Amino acid sequence: MSHASEYSPELLERAARIKLLLMDCDGVLSNGHIYFLPAPDGGLFETKTFDSQDGIALQWAHRTGIATGIISGRTSPAVEERARSAKMRYLYQGDTRKLPLLEEILDDSGLPAAEVAYIGDDITDVPIMRRVGLAAAPSNSRAETLAAANYVTPSPGGSGCVRDVMELLLKAQNRWSEILALYGIE
């Protein structure tokens, strides 16, 4: 089990301020694989896979008052459903110029950038990562993205990296024991 002491003091300080966790989808919430399946109308339907550990972490975010959202360059009904089922506050799809979308979210939320975290895996995410209070990248991210990250998750994208970030946030905010107590863990 990882403890807050395993993180640097600077990282814990950044994580303690976070009230909104934003993320890319492909390569973060999903492993980046896109599946095209036959649709009933004879066309194709796009889908992706999502990690259940990330899913429960998103439930914890909602439970503890950390708002969440997705900023994705692709548009997909699967992402809409993931955002809906995770009770995400923000969902932006279909634009790889993500910084103006972050500015819109900051205006809407009233939060300063220092209270926002972002998880990204590719160069389209770097402008946001340079702007927010905590920038995270899955371990299998592109080199430029890893260089922009304050925190590189032990897990790769689509395999628990959102969970890694949520555990960091909850530990830094002294909420992790509350989550453990939900499951009878001391």
Side-chain angles (χ1 to χ4, degrees):
M1 182 168 96
S2 60
H3 299 287
S5 62
E6 295 178 16
Y7 306 111
S8 74
E10 189 256 344
L11 181 62
L12 288 169
E13 184 179 315
R14 286 177 179 272
R17 293 190 296 254
I18 301 304
K19 295 186 175 129
L20 171 61
L21 173 60
L22 299 172
M23 63 208 77
D24 183 23
C25 182
D26 298 319
V28 174
L29 271 175
S30 80
N31 62 9
H33 299 165
I34 299 166
Y35 302 94
F36 295 100
L37 305 173
D41 65 2
L44 292 175
F45 177 77
E46 176 185 312
T47 193
K48 312 161 191 281
T49 59
F50 298 103
D51 187 83
S52 61
Q53 289 186 4
D54 288 342
I56 198 163
L58 291 168
Q59 290 179 24
W60 298 338
H62 183 73
R63 178 183 192 91
T64 59
I66 297 173
T68 56
I70 296 171
I71 302 175
S72 179
R74 293 184 59 83
T75 301
S76 168
V79 176
E80 290 175 23
E81 177 54 25
R82 186 57 158 173
R84 185 203 64 75
S85 66
K87 299 179 176 88
M88 291 190 173
R89 183 168 174 190
Y90 298 102
L91 174 60
Y92 288 84
Q93 297 188 88
D95 194 341
T96 58
R97 295 167 299 131
K98 298 180 177 186
L99 196 55
L101 302 176
L102 172 66
E103 296 301 333
E104 191 174 314
I105 290 169
L106 292 175
D107 286 346
D108 178 74
S109 69
L111 294 173
E115 294 178 3
V116 177
Y118 185 82
I119 312 169
D121 73 307
D122 210 338
I123 60 173
T124 57
D125 300 308
V126 171
I128 289 180
M129 294 172 74
R130 289 181 175 155
R131 175 89 165 79
V132 297
L134 175 65
S139 59
N140 62 332
S141 297
R142 305 310 300 176
E144 298 86 354
T145 313
L146 292 168
N150 307 112
Y151 176 59
V152 176
T153 67
S155 303
S159 296
C161 70
V162 175
R163 168 75 172 261
D164 293 339
V165 173
M166 272 309 303
E167 285 191 24
L168 164 64
L169 298 181
L170 293 168
K171 289 171 184 175
Q173 296 176 17
N174 297 313
R175 306 289 299 271
W176 184 240
S177 59
E178 174 185 331
I179 298 301
L180 294 178
L182 289 173
Y183 308 102
I185 302 169
E186 301 298 320

